[in-house]
Amino acid sequence: MEIAQTIEEWAYRLTDGTPLDGVPTGYAQALGWLGHLDVERPTPSVYDRWALGAIVAVLRGLPDGTRHAAAGKAIAAAKILRGPRTPGRVLEDLALIGVLAPADRPGLAERFTSYVERDLRPSGRVEVQAPLAWWSTSVGDHGVRRDVWDQLFVGLEIPEVDLDGPRPTPTPTAKETLDGALAARVRAFTPKEPKGVPSTGDGPVAPGDVWAVRLDPDRWITVHVHDVCEIDGRAYALAEYLSGVFQRQPTAAEISNQVQPRADGRWATWVHSLEKTSWVRRIAQASPPPFGEGSLPERPTRGSANDLRHLAGWCFA
């Protein structure tokens, strides 16, 4: 038994394809929405019918034996559908109903298949479920089972599409759809993040610098620069974390003179591009060396200033 966020499931069913992962709440949300008396069943627009025909045209142009991943990339390159994951979702749906399904791995239009059967795959490296996991463009007519196609799409007047010809205008427009308008609504309701305080002082990174690094909007840490040298023609700074976690960019007065070690002792790393990295700010110069038990590692690791964000997990619980 698991807890489900029904609003999230409802949004997924409207924007993210058919639930294929065996989670009953997804199917319950889809059936509940479609079966509601007040909900008008969607009808395909001119662009919807064209898009389905365009997907078939893309599959027709692929070599025999092309698998689902390459087919999805080809559909995405043709710019038929909106969204980076939509081509894969549509291929999964077409396979689930049987249009893109090998005869020995039929879709639901031919017979019911359990989740256990759908979860059988050629190997553990194949992420999609059956029937798409076993499909290629060698199936049927360039990948399309025409008998199932005619059974399911009769009367919809899906056109033969020339991908180089004129295209109908998508209706509704992107901003009028649930997923198309979502990004704008999120931006409208997201509080504006305050701008960071500019770096202190001028000139290149130097020993004695203290730099503040933002891990999250409300989580900052600091590093002390012990030394600067050139490695393979690039300037690197030997940085060590200082103790203290701050909810905003700290000031020079808040700098700790205590290092923040790892569980096994003091730790430092050579990093480049401190002054060029987003949300990394110099907050002090000519600071004295911080106090810490033991000595710095003999062979510090080397990377970029961006690495300071995820490496902080080694020193800050």
Side-chain angles (χ1 to χ4, degrees):
M1 197 72 179
E2 64 181 27
I3 297 174
Q5 170 53 265
T6 54
I7 294 178
E8 183 179 60
E9 290 288 346
W10 174 78
Y12 282 160
R13 300 292 68 79
L14 294 179
T15 63
D16 208 36
T18 301
L20 297 175
D21 54 1
V23 177
T25 53
Y27 293 95
Q29 287 293 320
L31 292 172
W33 179 72
L34 288 173
H36 198 284
L37 295 177
D38 296 334
V39 174
E40 182 180 350
R41 295 293 182 95
T43 56
S45 66
V46 172
Y47 189 87
D48 293 336
R49 292 192 292 270
W50 176 88
L52 189 53
I55 290 172
V56 173
V58 170
L59 298 180
R60 189 179 295 125
L62 297 176
D64 280 352
T66 301
R67 301 293 304 280
H68 63 89
K73 291 178 180 179
I75 294 169
K79 298 181 179 180
I80 300 166
L81 305 168
R82 190 179 69 250
R85 297 191 301 175
T86 309
R89 295 292 186 263
V90 171
L91 289 178
E92 287 179 331
D93 286 348
L94 290 174
L96 182 64
I97 61 178
V99 171
L100 307 183
D104 59 342
R105 303 274 177 177
L108 294 175
E110 294 179 81
R111 67 174 175 83
F112 174 77
T113 53
S114 67
Y115 170 70
V116 173
E117 184 176 351
R118 291 202 311 275
D119 203 38
L120 295 175
R121 313 165 196 222
S123 73
R125 293 178 296 175
V126 179
E127 294 186 0
V128 299
Q129 295 177 325
L132 193 60
W134 304 87
W135 172 88
S136 76
T137 50
S138 299
V139 170
D141 180 12
H142 300 284
V144 177
R145 290 277 303 281
R146 284 292 172 180
D147 53 336
V148 182
W149 174 281
D150 292 340
Q151 174 190 346
L152 296 177
F153 298 140
V154 61
L156 289 183
E157 299 179 357
I158 307 301
E160 290 286 332
V161 170
D162 177 5
L163 294 172
D164 295 324
R167 300 187 175 198
T169 302
T171 53
T173 60
K175 65 181 181 181
E176 295 175 309
T177 64
L178 180 66
D179 59 327
L182 187 59
R185 299 188 75 174
V186 169
R187 287 194 299 269
F189 285 100
T190 301
K192 298 296 182 182
E193 192 171 294
K195 292 184 178 180
V197 179
S199 288
T200 297
D202 298 318
V205 180
D209 281 357
V210 175
W211 292 74
V213 181
R214 190 185 78 160
L215 305 182
D216 298 299
D218 59 350
R219 190 163 176 251
W220 291 74
I221 58 172
T222 54
V223 296
H224 178 89
V225 174
H226 289 281
D227 195 9
V228 175
C229 72
E230 187 173 295
I231 304 175
D232 297 333
R234 169 175 266 174
Y236 279 80
L238 183 61
E240 182 178 20
Y241 295 114
L242 299 177
S243 65
V245 179
F246 308 87
Q247 292 185 332
R248 50 171 175 72
Q249 182 179 323
T251 65
E254 297 173 287
I255 295 173
S256 170
N257 66 346
Q258 180 75 35
V259 303
Q260 181 70 33
R262 292 176 58 174
D264 57 354
R266 295 181 68 173
W267 183 85
T269 182
W270 291 102
V271 295
H272 65 79
S273 305
L274 273 168
E275 71 280 13
K276 300 177 183 178
T277 304
S278 299
W279 294 105
V280 175
R281 303 281 195 273
R282 179 163 49 192
I283 58 175
Q285 294 178 291
S287 298
F291 172 78
E293 295 184 4
S295 58
L296 293 174
E298 294 183 3
R299 300 179 64 183
T301 58
R302 187 170 66 179
S304 73
N306 262 325
D307 295 337
L308 291 170
R309 293 189 173 95
H310 68 264
L311 293 175
W314 292 3
C315 298
F316 296 88

